[in-house]
Structures are given as C-alpha cells and as structure tokens.
C-alpha cells in the first residue's frame, strides 16, 4: 500500500557532549522515509533549496523513496536546524532555526500522490499539513506528529488539524502541554476527545504507548548500548511504525498495532547509533528482524 510523508527536510548541525557534525542531512521527512523504506515504498513531499545535494536524491532512490514530491527552490536555501544535547543525551536545546525555503512552503502534491492510502504528516507547521491534506482523497489512515513549538505558536491550526487525522504521535511532555494534564494516560485520553481516534505517546528511553477508546498497548524502549546522536529518533519511530502498518495492507488488529510499535522501536534504536543517517546506511531489514527477535526475548513474559 502506498505510504506518503510530508515534512521538513533539513541540514542539521548537531553537538553532543563528545562530538559535533555540521550541515548533515536531517528533517522529519527524511528520517521518517528512510525508516519506513525498510518495509516498502515511500513517497516523500518536502522543500529544499539550491544547496540540495543530488547524492541525497540518489540515496533515497536506492532505498525505494520516491522524491518526485521534493520541491527544489531555485535561489533558495534549505531549512537549517542546530541543536545541542546535554550530558544525559536525552534533553536537547535548539541553538538555531533558519526556516529559509520551509517558511513559505505550500506543498503541491504530484497527481499520483493524492490517492495514497497511508499518510504521515511529519513535524512541520500544522497549516502546511492542512494544505497537504486538502489535496489527498480517501486515505485509509492519516497520522500526524507535532511538537511544543506548534502547541505554543499555532494552536488554532493544530486544533483544526487534529479534527482531520486518525492518529497523533507525540512525546510525553508534548501530550501534557497540549492537554494541561499531568499524567500521560489522562493526557492521551483527553487528546482522544480532540479528534484523533488513537494517540501514540513516545516516552524516549521509556518506550511508547498506544491508546484508543478501547485499546491500550505499551512497548519498552530497546536498551541500546550506544547512543551517538538521538536526532531523528521520533521520526524514525513513526517511520518504522507506519511503514510496517502500510505493509500489512490495512490490517489494524491488536497484534498488528503492537508489531508496528515494536518495528518503530527497532528503527529508532538503530537511528540513534550514529550521526544522521550513518547507521541506516549500514543496516538491512534483516538486521531489524534480528534485533526484533532479541527484543522479543527481552520483553515477553
Ligand atoms: P526528532 O529528533 O525526531 O525530534 O527530529 C529531529 C529533526 O527535526 C531534525 O532533523 C530537525 O531538522 C527537524 N526539526 C527541528 N525543528 C523543526 C521544526 N520547527 N519544524 C520542522 N522540523 C524541525
């Protein structure tokens, strides 16, 4: 089944307590797409400037990610984000955000993208997500991500978007911020009254929780030994999760949902083992399956 993602495409500058990388590929759409590509084809919509490197288009093509929906703005500069991780490698401070071409982004979906069955609105301004959704007809499943910035600065657009999606993925602090609730289960339940039929709350190194009116599932995080760069973990989780769901042809039973959460956990765990896409370029679906088996032994009881 076709899987479409719309999100930011970035050049990131990342500092950890021990290392720094400048202007490496990042953004919510690339992390999502690469993680999802282990499970099937992906269509990626985003915007970049003239500084976009053709080698990245080739990298995506090699991995089954269609970039026909990636607009390259002549004379423009790609979105830039820079962040610094604290000692615990969990908390990070944003040092700089240069919107550049992302600031005026009006997504125009290629004709063959408009009937995609699975749609993910990755982290970007909710108004951009709404513009994209207006061009999509009859999707089976629409899921969105969001972040504290949009909860703070674009609440009306975000509320409108929530009414039009089936699912929302967000982290625990964002769920509390969006609802004013102090506990994540209560926060997730409140989000279910805002539009989405299900909510997935990411709890970083504590795993993830799926909640709908009648179901609740939790998965722990994979106990990764090497965390080199956590950037993109959230988008990679969503990519593995949605990629697996799309590969299951619309099946949405409890076992499928739990497996989707597990595959998202696996792709996120690989993502953090290198800077940017370093680790992804080394692994195959087989590595994901092997780790899934290790995880199954650790987490089943
Ligand atoms: P994550 O670590 O999963 O939260 O995602 C990190 C990615 O989000 C980075 O590669 C950034 O380029 C991208 N990013 C950071 N701030 C924004 C923003 N305001 N809008 C869209 N993408 C962003």
């Amino acid at each position: 089944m076709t899987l479409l993602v719309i999100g930011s495409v970035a050049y990131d500058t990342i500092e950890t307590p021990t290392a720094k990388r400048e202007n490496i590929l990042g953004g919510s759409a690339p992390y999502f797409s690469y993680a999802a590509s282990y499970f099937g084809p992906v269509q990626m919509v985003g915007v970049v400037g003239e500084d976009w490197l053709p080698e990245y288009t080739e990298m995506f093509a090699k991995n089954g990610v269609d970039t026909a929906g990636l607009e390259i703005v002549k004379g423009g500069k790609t979105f830039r984000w820079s962040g610094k991780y604290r000692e615990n490698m969990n908390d990070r401070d944003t040092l700089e955000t240069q919107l550049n071409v992302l600031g005026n982004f009006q997504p125009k979906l290629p004709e063959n993208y408009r009937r995609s069955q699975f749609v993910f609105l990755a982290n970007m301004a909710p108004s951009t997500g709404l513009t994209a959704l207006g061009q999509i007809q009859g999707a089976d499943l629409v899921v969105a991500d969001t972040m504290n910035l949009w909860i703070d600065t674009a609440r009306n657009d975000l509320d409108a978007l929530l009414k039009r999606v089936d699912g929302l993925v967000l982290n625990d602090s964002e769920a509390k911020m969006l609802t004013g609730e102090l506990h994540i289960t209560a926060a997730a339940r409140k989000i279910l009254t805002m539009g989405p039929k299900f909510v997935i709350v990411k709890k970083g190194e504590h795993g993830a929780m799926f909640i709908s009116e009648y179901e609740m599932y939790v998965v722990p995080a994979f106990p990764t030994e090497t965390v080199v760069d956590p950037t993109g973990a959230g988008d990679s989780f969503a990519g593995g999760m949605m990629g697996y769901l799309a590969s299951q042809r619309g099946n949405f039973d409890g076992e499928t949902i739990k497996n989707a959460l597990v595959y998202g956990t696996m792709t996120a765990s690989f993502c953090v083992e290198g800077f940017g896409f370093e680790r992804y370029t080394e692994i195959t679906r087989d590595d994901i399956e092997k780790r899934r088996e290790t995880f199954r032994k650790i987490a089943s009881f």
Side-chain angles (χ1 to χ4, degrees):
M1 282 193 156
T2 43
L3 173 60
L4 167 70
V5 58
I6 302 128
S8 64
V9 181
Y11 284 134
D12 289 343
T13 293
I14 296 160
E15 255 182 86
T16 70
T18 53
K20 183 173 179 180
R21 293 284 191 284
E22 288 182 42
N23 296 319
I24 60 172
L25 177 65
S28 55
Y31 278 116
F32 177 95
S33 299
Y34 213 126
S37 75
Y38 293 102
F39 304 90
V42 186
Q43 298 167 327
M44 183 169 90
V45 173
V47 66
V48 291
E50 232 174 49
D51 50 1
W52 177 248
L53 298 177
E55 67 195 58
Y56 293 138
T57 304
E58 281 161 35
M59 177 182 89
F60 284 119
K62 243 177 40 201
N63 290 286
V65 179
D66 177 351
T67 53
L70 185 66
E71 185 189 346
I72 302 176
V73 177
K74 269 206 164 148
K77 222 178 141 192
T78 300
F79 169 63
R80 275 171 170 70
W81 175 79
S82 119
K84 184 174 178 173
Y85 288 90
R86 302 204 186 152
E87 282 299 326
N88 64 14
M89 288 294 268
N90 243 342
D91 301 321
R92 74 177 176 211
D93 298 308
T94 291
L95 300 181
E96 200 188 4
T97 302
Q98 290 176 29
L99 282 179
N100 301 330
V101 292
L102 191 62
N104 300 317
F105 182 39
Q106 292 287 330
K108 284 180 279 314
L109 273 51
E111 209 50 53
N112 63 325
Y113 283 27
R114 295 179 183 217
R115 290 186 185 274
S116 288
Q117 289 124 325
F118 285 75
V119 177
F120 190 72
L121 305 171
N123 186 19
M124 63 187 154
S127 58
T128 315
L130 283 166
T131 306
L133 263 189
Q135 300 168 37
I136 295 166
Q137 288 154 14
D140 290 348
L141 187 73
V142 178
V143 180
D145 188 353
T146 194
M147 73 183 289
N148 48 6
L149 176 68
W150 312 122
I151 299 171
D152 249 353
T153 64
R155 188 58 199 254
N156 289 345
D157 287 341
L158 183 58
D159 285 342
L161 185 72
L162 289 181
K163 292 199 173 63
R164 302 200 36 199
V165 301
D166 300 301
L168 181 70
V169 183
L170 75 182
N171 71 31
D172 45 0
S173 62
E174 291 157 357
K176 291 175 191 169
M177 189 176 166
L178 182 61
T179 58
E181 295 287 344
L182 294 176
H183 300 286
I184 50 171
T185 314
R189 289 243 176 263
K190 196 158 176 183
I191 295 169
L192 293 178
T193 67
M194 299 174 170
K197 296 196 267 297
F198 67 86
V199 181
I200 296 172
V201 184
K202 299 168 288 180
K203 300 182 289 168
E205 59 184 335
H206 303 295
M209 179 173 85
F210 173 101
I211 187 162
S212 69
E213 191 179 354
Y214 303 110
E215 289 166 297
M216 185 190 282
Y217 305 110
V218 289
V219 284
F222 182 77
T224 315
E225 312 237 343
T226 340
V227 179
V228 173
D229 168 22
T231 311
D235 308 304
S236 293
F237 172 87
M241 190 245 336
M242 288 290 286
Y244 178 74
L245 279 180
S247 76
Q248 297 305 297
R249 310 193 170 277
N251 186 345
F252 210 63
D253 62 20
E255 279 310 301
T256 309
I257 295 168
K258 279 193 266 183
N259 271 305
L261 298 175
V262 167
Y263 278 113
T265 303
M266 297 299 96
T267 44
S269 75
F270 279 111
C271 175
V272 304
E273 289 177 352
F275 267 102
F277 291 78
E278 273 169 7
R279 193 70 178 110
Y280 276 157
T281 56
E282 295 168 355
I283 64 156
T284 62
R285 173 72 186 260
D286 204 36
D287 296 298
I288 294 176
E289 294 302 333
K290 283 192 190 122
R291 182 168 289 185
R292 179 184 181 278
E293 183 52 21
T294 307
F295 192 48
R296 195 185 61 73
K297 288 183 185 147
I298 295 172
S300 65
F301 53 87

